[in-house]
Amino acid sequence: MSLRLLALPALLLAITAAHAQQSAPPSAVAPLTLACSGPFAKDSSHAKLQQAFGAPNVAIQKVDGAEGETFEASVLYRADPSRRLEVTWTDDKKRSGLSSASAKKPSTWTGPEGIRIGMTLDEVAKLNGQPFRLNGFEWDYGGYVVDLKGKLASLPGGCGLMLRFSPGMALDAKKHAGLIGEKKLSSSDAKLLAVKPVLVSWSVGYAE
């Protein structure tokens, strides 16, 4: 038998293995989860975030705050909106002592108790175990939960949760006047549920 024929099975095996490797689907990106511990514990820092997620994935960047203000934060995955997370500090100079960690639409981070962007108002209320109150829409603090009691009000790790909802449809100034402006709404209000509010941002934070 010739050496060429002996080498043929090995060659076919190598080609098959290479083809299988090229055809294999890329490994899925690990889900991003946030708990009030580890890199997001109260004593965290910019350096600890870099250790946990890699220095290239954590950068200092100006972010938008309330009423048009801007401030510096540690931003994870700043170039990828689906993985972006903004972290602020109680000590801005040392960038230490976690103040808040915020996820905004379209972020895919999952927070404490399974909180995630896109959840409906009813889903969050069920997760919480009881209704809560939130601000009316269409002003600087519109849609923010202001009276959170229940399961989501007491989280492992000692952090607090802030939630903001937005109506899932355009509001009519006359028809939906009771849902607009500086007023408090109940998450169980049928008129509120009718406009299908969804969670558009959430954050965890620690009292100073």
Side-chain angles (χ1 to χ4, degrees), residues 73-153:
S74 298
V75 180
L76 278 67
Y77 306 109
R78 61 177 179 174
D80 184 351
S82 70
R83 305 175 75 196
R84 183 183 175 93
L85 191 76
E86 299 174 1
V87 181
T88 62
W89 309 103
T90 56
D91 188 330
D92 291 328
K93 292 183 178 180
K94 294 182 179 179
R95 298 193 176 103
S96 63
L98 196 146
S99 176
S100 69
S102 306
K104 301 175 182 178
K105 184 182 179 179
S107 174
T108 56
W109 280 82
T110 297
E113 305 300 334
I115 283 291
R116 64 188 183 281
I117 299 297
M119 294 183 78
T120 66
L121 182 62
D122 192 46
E123 286 175 333
V124 175
K126 288 179 179 177
L127 185 62
N128 187 51
Q130 67 181 71
F132 48 82
R133 294 196 301 165
L134 61 154
N135 287 331
F137 300 115
E138 297 188 2
W139 62 295
D140 285 342
Y141 297 99
Y144 277 106
V145 173
V146 293
D147 187 23
L148 184 62
K149 298 177 181 177
K151 185 178 180 181
L152 297 178

Side-chain angles (χ1 to χ4, degrees), residues 10-24:
L11 178 61
L12 290 174
L13 182 61
I15 293 174
T16 301
H19 178 73
Q21 185 174 7
Q22 292 175 359
S23 302

